[in-house]
Amino acid sequence: MEKETHQSSQVLSDISEINLREQLLVPNSHHLDGYMKMKSFTPARLGLWRCGPRYKTQSILRFRADHAAAQDSVFSYVDPDLIKAMQFIAIQTRCRSKDEYLTRPDLGRRFSTEYAEKIKKHITHPPKIQLVVGDGLSSAAIVANIKDVIPSIKQGLNHYGLDCTQHIFVKYCRVGVMDQIGEMTDADVVCMLIGERPGLATAQSMSAYIAYRPTMGMPEMRRTVVSNIHAQGIPPVEAGAYISELLYKMLRYKKSGLDLKAVENTD
Amino acid sequence: MESVVLSVGIDIGTSTTQLILSRLTIQNKASFFSVPNIVIAKKEMIYQSDIIFTPLSQGYQIDYAAIARFVGQQYMLAGVSKQSIGVGAIMITGETARKENADRVVQTLSQDAGDFVVTTAGPDLEGILAAKGSGAGKVSLERKVPIINLDIGGGTTNLAALDGDQVLDTACFDIGGRLIKVDPMTLQISYIAPKIQQLIHQLNLNLFEGTILRSTEPLNPILDVFVQVLENSIGIGERTRFFDLLVTNHCFTRRDTDRIRSISFSGGVADCMMQSENRQPFVYGDIGLLLGKRLRHSKIYRYKQVVTPQETIRATVVGAGSYSITVSGSTIAYTPDALPVRNVPMIKLTIEPMNGNALGLADQIKSGLEIFRTHGELTNVALYIVGLKSPSFNQLQHCAREIVSGAHALLDQNLPLIVITEEDIAKALGHSLFYNLPQNYSYICIDRINANHGDYIDIGTPVPHTTVLPVSVKTLLFSN
């Protein structure tokens, strides 16, 4: 393993910089090409090798680093400067801390009247499309993707002769918040971009939950979901373009979720 | 979302013409929670025609009326109407491709045979389609090993090395079962192909058209050369001095094809290889059976792992019917008026990872387009862009501006802008192009296409009930 010796000869400041798909720790493998090809199909940690019955030190360190990154993305906050730069209307749910956010999902789905006033002050007319950005379970996902997704959605909407302005940012956000925002703003379509629960493969995955005229307590089947938005999954700009088409379709059919699928299939 | 499309494959070969129909099931493989991923999920052959002799008139023209009649008859027998044929490919191969009306015949037939039936030609593509049609591609995909298929027909042997979906290399040799024809009754040689006459001369053999063969022995030196060249072609043994003589256009260009262990045979001679060795050797009026028998005992069986194919003599036509059409990515952008597109050459443009803003792309496009200018006029050219792996929004804008500025010559002639990418980015890129193009300008932007510089592409109208476009990429990569 020429590559490995090369790596050990110099200082590596961050172990997670190594692309796991390109790293094979099995010494003298019989069929290197086949192994590497198999690894290229999956983010799973294949070919870690072992020391006696245990993982190698490197594998354990990497596992812990990835786990730490996942935890960090849950417990960290979206940089206030980013929120300002993107000119989001910043609000917060009824949760007062990350601990409360994690233990009380119900509080993460509603916000108080104080923030309702703030939204009303900024959004005076019922918008056709209301974008909402939520930290969710991964602030890292928002930081990584939002600057590419939103302009791509807007460019896509321009293609359909539509637009969206005045985006809302929600701290301690759960998906259900979009229903309350929908009722309040009287928007035709609400699109929520929210950080997904991080895993060991990536902590930067984001989802879009989109619904036509969402209402509090509505069935989940009315939401259309686009998941796995990140650089190694659905590229954020391509996801934005696809979301813009979904928004256009929802306005056209006045439907979302399974209902939208159903009309599309008969169309 | 599921759609069934009927596909036709027609192979007009040196000696025979055949047709198959297959049913392609196009399905969304992604879960409800993701962006659609629409693929051809199933390919089933539902009809195969008899194998007829290619109808010729006056020897130097293809009898179009007879071919059209044959196609119409087969549709009737299969119980399908022309209108129900969604996609397909016509392959014109070997000698027939050189007939003076070959071009016109395939063009007309492709219009007449169905909605989006493409035309294909060339020994490289023939080898690739035969390898896929024989089932070798499937074996490679399932076992995750590379494979070489040798399609040994009447006039040529077309080789293709595949690794799953990917074509590694192709080669072609003038080795086939009908290069020498022998009357089964009189045992008299009725025909020797020109190149084989050269070979006979160089071998100092006493064989002519008219020679009566009392045994098969006089043919042995020729068969030995055939077998040896085929062994050589996949890396077995020292190259014989006749190797270069029998190369049609080129042998494998990559050295590492020698290391590929899995081999399969298709074509008429592969059929012969599986038949009893006690048959009268000239029952088909040629040397196919003898060549098959020789190959059966060749070093290929000793040094390589020979895989039994699903299709032998029909490999090429199955390849044309089932494997010449793919679908684009599911999230794409286009203006409907730009479709369909037929036989457009592609220029490949690579954006290096360090050059996220695609600097210089416009100049690359400009100079790439100039090659296609004849008498001051441009015909349309598709821009095939690779390296757009999850660009930022700003990078994408730069790229779109570079493309539109580079394609000025196409815009001047009001030709639809065709942009094709490898990575899943076409919808976003298409929207950016739309933003940068003049109002109402026709364009097509599709992704998830594997192609090479100089390939030709056909793009059809959307597959019903899906968001994908049928696409046929016709590779000319390995030809000189």
Side-chain angles (χ1 to χ4, degrees):
Chain A
M1 297 302 306
E2 198 183 312
K3 201 172 175 190
E4 210 194 338
T5 47
H6 174 69
Q7 276 164 359
S8 55
S9 66
Q10 61 186 38
V11 181
L12 188 66
S13 61
D14 180 358
I15 195 169
S16 57
E17 276 171 12
I18 299 169
N19 183 349
L20 285 180
R21 291 193 192 209
E22 288 167 13
Q23 184 189 44
L24 183 72
L25 299 179
V26 177
N28 311 317
S29 74
H30 283 295
H31 196 341
L32 183 67
D33 288 349
Y35 219 142
M36 294 313 287
K37 195 170 166 191
M38 196 157 69
K39 279 175 69 69
S40 74
F41 290 113
T42 172
R45 287 155 210 252
L46 303 183
L48 296 186
W49 201 237
R50 63 195 162 80
C51 178
R54 301 182 192 91
Y55 288 126
K56 292 179 85 174
T57 307
Q58 188 180 150
S59 303
I60 293 179
L61 288 177
R62 179 59 191 267
F63 188 85
R64 286 186 183 159
D66 289 344
H67 192 224
Q71 284 187 313
D72 282 352
S73 65
V74 176
F75 285 99
S76 65
Y77 293 93
V78 175
D79 184 358
D81 288 343
L82 176 68
I83 296 169
K84 209 175 283 171
M86 298 292 292
Q87 297 180 308
F88 291 148
I89 304 162
I91 68 163
Q92 180 176 331
T93 61
R94 289 178 186 270
C95 303
R96 281 155 303 175
S97 69
K98 284 282 181 186
D99 278 338
E100 195 171 44
Y101 171 70
L102 291 174
T103 52
R104 292 288 304 273
D106 56 326
L107 296 181
R109 294 191 192 107
R110 298 290 175 259
F111 49 87
S112 59
T113 43
E114 161 199 358
Y115 290 112
E117 290 306 316
K118 185 171 179 183
I119 293 175
K120 271 185 197 153
K121 210 178 84 194
H122 284 91
I123 301 169
T124 47
H125 295 289
K128 267 202 157 97
I129 295 160
Q130 180 62 54
L131 280 196
V132 183
V133 179
D135 50 5
L137 285 161
S138 173
S139 295
I142 299 305
V143 173
N145 301 309
I146 205 73
K147 278 185 295 198
D148 295 318
V149 170
I150 290 183
S152 180
I153 292 176
K154 282 175 74 82
Q155 189 167 62
L157 288 176
N158 165 62
H159 180 257
Y160 296 107
L162 295 165
D163 197 10
C164 62
T165 51
Q166 305 261 45
H167 319 310
I168 297 171
F169 175 81
V170 186
K171 188 170 162 185
Y172 303 129
C173 180
R174 298 246 174 215
V175 173
V177 170
M178 67 188 280
D179 303 345
Q180 194 180 359
I181 291 175
E183 286 191 7
M184 244 196 58
T185 58
D186 203 23
D188 283 335
V189 181
V190 179
C191 171
M192 169 170 279
L193 302 164
I194 187 165
E196 275 178 23
R197 182 173 60 90
L200 288 169
T202 177
Q204 300 188 337
S205 188
M206 189 180 84
S207 287
Y209 288 80
I210 321 168
Y212 183 77
R213 296 208 144 267
T215 51
M216 289 190 271
M218 73 173 189
E220 291 300 314
M221 65 155 220
R222 282 185 49 200
R223 285 185 230 284
T224 296
V225 186
V226 181
S227 66
N228 202 31
I229 304 168
H230 58 103
Q232 281 77 45
I234 309 297
V237 285
E238 185 70 351
Y242 177 63
I243 289 167
S244 72
E245 188 187 27
L246 284 174
L247 293 168
Y248 162 74
K249 279 188 190 163
M250 285 181 197
L251 287 170
R252 183 173 154 209
Y253 293 111
K254 303 191 190 308
K255 283 183 169 60
S256 57
L258 291 181
D259 298 337
L260 181 69
K261 279 258 152 157
V263 284
E264 271 187 294
N265 286 343
T266 55
D267 202 34
Chain B
M1 234 191 309
E2 182 176 302
S3 193
V4 173
V5 179
L6 273 188
S7 172
V8 65
I10 302 171
D11 177 13
I12 305 173
T14 310
S15 47
T16 62
T17 291
Q18 33 182 336
L19 176 153
I20 64 132
L21 292 170
S22 51
R23 182 165 36 212
L24 310 180
T25 306
I26 297 172
Q27 245 175 8
N28 184 7
K29 283 281 188 189
S31 77
F32 179 65
F33 306 106
S34 351
V35 174
N37 178 26
I38 298 162
V39 296
I40 300 177
K42 215 163 37 170
K43 297 167 179 168
E44 305 152 279
M45 207 202 316
I46 55 164
Y47 179 79
Q48 29 181 292
S49 75
D50 291 336
I51 300 172
I52 63 159
F53 282 106
T54 300
L56 298 174
S57 56
Q58 294 141 19
Y60 52 86
Q61 282 199 342
I62 303 163
D63 184 347
Y64 180 72
I67 297 233
R69 217 166 31 242
F70 167 73
V71 171
Q73 239 167 30
Q74 299 308 316
Y75 284 3
M76 216 170 67
L77 286 170
V80 301
S81 67
K82 186 199 133 183
Q83 286 73 29
S84 64
I85 305 289
V87 297
I90 298 167
M91 175 113 224
I92 189 154
T93 57
E95 279 285 299
T96 321
R98 291 189 278 270
K99 300 291 178 201
E100 62 177 34
N101 63 341
D103 249 13
R104 264 203 346 271
V105 165
V106 285
Q107 295 304 340
T108 321
L109 192 57
S110 76
Q111 303 286 340
D112 282 357
D115 197 21
F116 179 63
V117 177
V118 304
T119 59
T120 56
D124 301 298
L125 197 57
E126 196 183 334
I128 294 165
L129 290 179
K132 291 182 175 174
S134 72
K138 209 171 148 205
V139 170
S140 170
L141 208 59
E142 278 165 6
R143 300 191 191 170
K144 306 239 183 303
V145 292
I147 194 166
I148 295 172
N149 184 65
L150 293 93
D151 188 73
I152 313 175
T156 54
T157 296
N158 297 81
L159 286 79
L162 302 181
D163 190 359
D165 287 336
Q166 206 194 342
V167 179
L168 300 176
D169 207 346
T170 63
C172 189
F173 295 88
D174 288 323
I175 294 174
R178 288 182 85 80
L179 292 172
I180 300 176
K181 293 186 198 167
V182 183
D183 189 307
M185 305 305 291
T186 61
L187 302 182
Q188 190 174 36
I189 296 178
S190 60
Y191 171 77
I192 301 175
K195 241 192 203 179
I196 307 308
Q197 295 192 15
Q198 274 185 58
L199 178 66
I200 288 170
H201 179 74
Q202 291 184 27
L203 284 167
N204 264 324
L205 300 177
N206 208 14
L207 286 172
F208 309 94
E209 291 177 358
T211 304
I212 293 175
L213 293 166
R214 302 201 192 286
S215 79
T216 59
E217 210 146 295
L219 295 171
N220 285 350
I222 300 167
L223 295 168
D224 283 340
V225 170
F226 281 4
V227 169
Q228 213 182 338
V229 168
L230 290 182
E231 288 170 350
N232 293 165
S233 74
I234 53 174
I236 302 171
E238 282 287 309
R239 270 196 188 177
T240 118
R241 62 197 168 101
F242 303 110
F243 187 87
D244 290 334
L245 173 69
L246 294 184
V247 168
T248 310
N249 54 350
H250 59 89
C251 55
F252 279 139
T253 48
R254 284 171 56 147
R255 292 215 61 90
D256 53 357
T257 47
D258 287 0
R259 286 169 35 204
I260 296 175
R261 285 194 40 79
S262 300
I263 304 292
S264 65
F265 293 99
S266 64
V269 173
D271 234 15
C272 295
M273 287 167 74
M274 291 191 274
Q275 293 181 18
S276 158
E277 299 194 353
N278 302 325
R279 294 191 74 176
Q280 204 267 34
F282 302 119
V283 63
Y284 295 127
D286 57 32
I287 57 167
L289 275 170
L290 289 175
L291 179 57
K293 181 176 162 186
R294 282 275 161 158
L295 281 168
R296 190 78 189 73
H297 297 283
S298 70
K299 289 182 188 150
I300 298 175
Y301 277 79
R302 232 178 303 151
Y303 292 108
K304 303 276 181 175
Q305 194 185 357
V306 178
V307 179
T308 314
Q310 277 174 319
E311 294 290 341
T312 53
I313 195 162
R314 292 183 193 273
T316 307
V317 73
V318 170
S322 301
Y323 292 91
S324 54
I325 303 282
T326 55
V327 293
S328 70
S330 312
T331 51
I332 54 175
Y334 57 87
T335 51
D337 61 325
L339 298 170
V341 164
R342 285 175 186 269
N343 284 322
V344 174
M346 291 195 265
I347 53 175
K348 183 175 177 176
L349 305 143
T350 305
I351 298 173
E352 298 299 334
M354 303 305 291
N355 182 16
N357 283 344
L359 290 173
L361 183 63
D363 292 334
Q364 262 189 73
I365 294 171
K366 272 178 207 155
S367 59
L369 288 178
E370 280 316 302
I371 300 163
F372 292 91
R373 193 184 287 279
T374 43
H375 310 301
E377 290 279 302
L378 262 183
T379 47
N380 210 351
V381 177
L383 311 176
Y384 177 57
I385 297 176
V386 295
L388 271 176
K389 182 134 184 54
S390 197
S392 73
F393 182 75
N394 283 332
Q395 287 172 336
L396 191 70
Q397 300 316 299
H398 279 290
C399 181
R401 278 197 293 270
E402 289 277 328
I403 291 172
V404 172
S405 127
H408 219 274
L410 297 174
L411 268 60
D412 283 346
Q413 286 184 227
N414 212 25
L415 293 165
L417 180 63
I418 306 170
V419 177
I420 295 158
T421 67
E422 186 175 35
E423 291 85 3
D424 178 17
I425 201 72
K427 201 171 193 69
L429 181 60
H431 288 166
S432 305
L433 292 173
F434 171 84
Y435 184 77
N436 285 286
L437 282 170
Q439 223 179 356
N440 298 324
Y441 199 84
S442 302
Y443 73 97
I444 300 169
C445 188
I446 60 171
D447 59 20
R448 294 202 169 165
I449 300 293
N450 277 313
N452 289 293
H453 191 77
D455 287 358
Y456 281 71
I457 193 166
D458 292 65
I459 308 169
T461 51
V463 176
H465 313 295
T466 71
T467 54
V468 296
L469 304 179
V471 171
S472 177
V473 174
K474 299 179 287 196
T475 183
L476 299 171
L477 167 71
F478 306 108
S479 43
N480 296 325

